[in-house]
Amino acid sequence: LEESTQTNDMEEIRPVLRKCYDFIAEVIFEGQFTGQEYLDGMDAREILKMTGQLLASVSVGYDAAYAETKKK
């Protein structure tokens, strides 16, 4: 996602965002809705901010778990 957004090319960014939406729907919300439903249900002004926050919440948990495992 970070690499594709640096280009500002929506043809490159759009498929990556779709994968992010699908990941959020399938993994974080355990399939309660689809990636498309996530996108459709969000306010367009908030979608990128909320998506970033949700993805960050997963990586922060991963980083903390990895740091604990590494210490042991």
Side-chain angles (χ1 to χ4, degrees):
L1 179 59
E2 190 174 313
E3 288 177 21
S4 64
T5 55
Q6 290 176 359
T7 66
N8 288 327
D9 179 0
M10 282 308 292
E11 294 305 314
E12 229 179 280
I13 296 169
R14 193 171 288 117
V16 174
L17 286 175
R18 292 278 178 198
K19 287 181 182 179
C20 291
Y21 303 151
D22 289 341
F23 175 83
I24 289 169
E26 293 169 13
V27 177
I28 296 175
F29 288 97
E30 299 176 342
Q32 295 179 41
F33 44 83
T34 66
Q36 185 62 49
E37 290 170 329
Y38 169 78
L39 177 60
D40 293 344
M42 293 291 294
D43 183 325
R45 298 168 293 192
E46 296 290 323
I47 188 76
L48 290 178
K49 178 182 173 186
M50 182 60 69
T51 298
Q53 290 173 341
L54 287 167
L55 293 174
S57 72
V58 172
S59 65
V60 166
Y62 174 80
D63 291 344
Y66 178 73
E68 285 301 313
T69 303
K70 191 174 177 182
K71 287 179 186 176
K72 295 176 183 178

